Amino acid sequence: MRDFNLFTTAKYAIFALSLMIIASITTAHAGSTQIAEPKHSVKEITTFAKQVEKYAAKQGARAFIIARMGRPKKDLPKGISFTHTAIAVYSDIQLGNGKTARGYAIHNLYQNEGQLDTSSLVIDYPTDFFWGAEELKAGIIIPSQELQHRLIEAITSGTHRTVHNSNYSVIANPFNSQFQNCTEHTLDVINASIYQTTNIKRLKRNAKSYFQPQRVQTSRFKLMLGSAFMDDVTTKDHDGKVYTTTFTTIAKYLKKNQLMQSSVVFNQQGNAIKLI
């Protein structure tokens, strides 16, 4: 009986450790689902969303890269500040009363509910975007005027749908097309706009030549264990060290190539703090 108790205790200890490891892995891009419980009052969320819109409009942004924080900052791996990234485009928006207004429509890649290893492209709006945010803080990258124009063309022409890969992984490798997450999809749309092509092989080849991804700072064992338990975690598309796309690495990429006007972290107090 004593041996059985020792075995049972060890088994549950390993299981508990496994859950902790998995949690540490999935927080890297957790928050890429459309449906989430609000962590702030409706008034706070709508007010903040309107602040973000006003800030972007004041900067003359017709299209910009937007990000949110879907997990507590303390849970995010080193080098990762945001958990969900998308493209916002100034558009005609159909209101509930049938009227049309101008505002920012946000073009997202979201994980599918109930099937987290797949994704769909969904349009929502700033209040929806920040609805489940852990902290009312936004990442905002305003591209150059030329790149903004090309991003709008990409959305209008359906290029963002052409480069969408519905096979989802939270730690997708940006240098191949086996899997994709929301931030890699954003990068793919950006590169499709820059190079004026939807040829995936060319896009991945150019990314490997010019884009510097973020190293995922966790052990190979943890990643393999996460792969065994979570549908949306896999290392199949990686060879050796694990790298992925982040909001900050996109900002650095655009800045290095003189394709960015500014990048900031915009907080609930209305302050825009320089990102890089």
Side-chain angles (χ1 to χ4, degrees), residues 32-48:
S32 286
T33 55
Q34 184 180 15
I35 301 170
E37 289 296 320
K39 298 177 177 62
H40 305 272
S41 70
V42 173
K43 183 179 179 180
E44 286 178 309
I45 296 168
T46 54
T47 298
F48 179 70

Side-chain angles (χ1 to χ4, degrees), residues 22 25-26 168-171 223 226-228 230-235:
I22 292 164
I25 295 167
T26 57
Y168 185 93
S169 171
V170 296
I171 51 172
L223 293 173
S227 300
M230 305 296 290
D231 290 338
D232 56 347
V233 178
T234 181
T235 59

Side-chain angles (χ1 to χ4, degrees), residues 100-218:
T100 300
R102 295 289 285 173
Y104 288 102
I106 302 179
H107 298 264
N108 304 271
L109 180 154
Y110 281 130
Q111 289 173 270
N112 293 322
E113 290 294 322
Q115 197 173 358
L116 295 177
D117 58 346
T118 65
S119 69
S120 298
L121 299 185
V122 177
I123 299 173
D124 62 14
Y125 304 97
T127 298
D128 308 307
F129 187 82
F130 293 110
W131 192 256
E134 182 70 30
E135 189 174 339
L136 292 180
K137 183 177 288 187
I140 298 174
I141 298 170
I142 300 181
S144 66
Q145 288 294 325
E146 176 61 22
L147 182 53
Q148 286 185 49
H149 177 70
R150 290 193 178 192
L151 286 171
I152 293 169
E153 283 188 336
I155 298 295
T156 302
S157 67
T159 291
H160 63 309
R161 298 193 178 278
T162 303
V163 300
H164 173 225
N165 176 3
S166 63
N167 297 312
Y168 185 93
S169 171
V170 296
I171 51 172
N173 183 345
F175 297 152
N176 64 51
S177 58
Q178 193 169 353
F179 299 98
Q180 191 180 64
N181 58 40
C182 61
T183 317
E184 182 184 340
H185 178 255
T186 301
L187 176 65
D188 287 341
V189 176
I190 289 170
N191 278 340
S193 301
I194 293 170
Y195 297 110
Q196 297 288 278
T197 183
T198 56
N199 185 299
I200 299 300
K201 288 184 178 179
R202 183 184 170 193
L203 291 175
K204 295 306 174 184
R205 185 167 61 247
N206 288 343
K208 194 166 187 177
S209 296
Y210 303 111
F211 176 72
Q212 179 60 52
Q214 175 68 46
R215 169 81 185 278
V216 178
Q217 298 288 353
T218 192

Side-chain angles (χ1 to χ4, degrees), residues 52-68:
V52 170
E53 285 196 281
K54 287 181 177 178
Y55 174 80
K58 191 174 181 180
Q59 307 309 305
R62 294 173 298 149
F64 66 96
I65 315 305
I66 188 169
R68 72 179 181 216

